[in-house]
Amino acid sequence: MKGFLGFLGFVLLSQGIGGIVYQLTGGWFRLWALTHRIGFLDGYEIYVCVLLVVLGVAVFVAAESAGKRA
């Protein structure tokens, strides 16, 4: 469980940071950013990316908590 949560946290965190970098550089950093490709998020990409970073950190904390209990 800890491994899956760690992987999920990494994906969320990398997508959030990649999306923020993509927005701040004007589209230069496309490799890790997927939020700009989702049509209904137009105009809200930066908010979604910040939310992904927060969720990624929360999942990492949950993974550490799950690891300590086992």
Side-chain angles (χ1 to χ4, degrees), residues 6-65:
F7 174 73
L8 183 63
F10 170 74
V11 170
L12 290 172
L13 194 62
S14 64
Q15 286 299 308
I17 292 172
I20 290 171
V21 171
Y22 175 83
Q23 292 297 322
L24 294 178
T25 60
W28 176 77
F29 189 75
R30 292 184 173 193
L31 180 64
W32 287 94
L34 294 177
T35 55
H36 71 279
R37 297 179 186 174
I38 301 173
F40 65 88
L41 295 178
D42 286 340
Y44 298 103
E45 291 96 347
I46 195 78
Y47 301 114
V48 172
C49 292
V50 170
L51 178 65
L52 287 174
V53 169
V54 170
L55 285 175
V57 170
V59 170
F60 272 130
V61 169
E64 288 299 317
S65 176

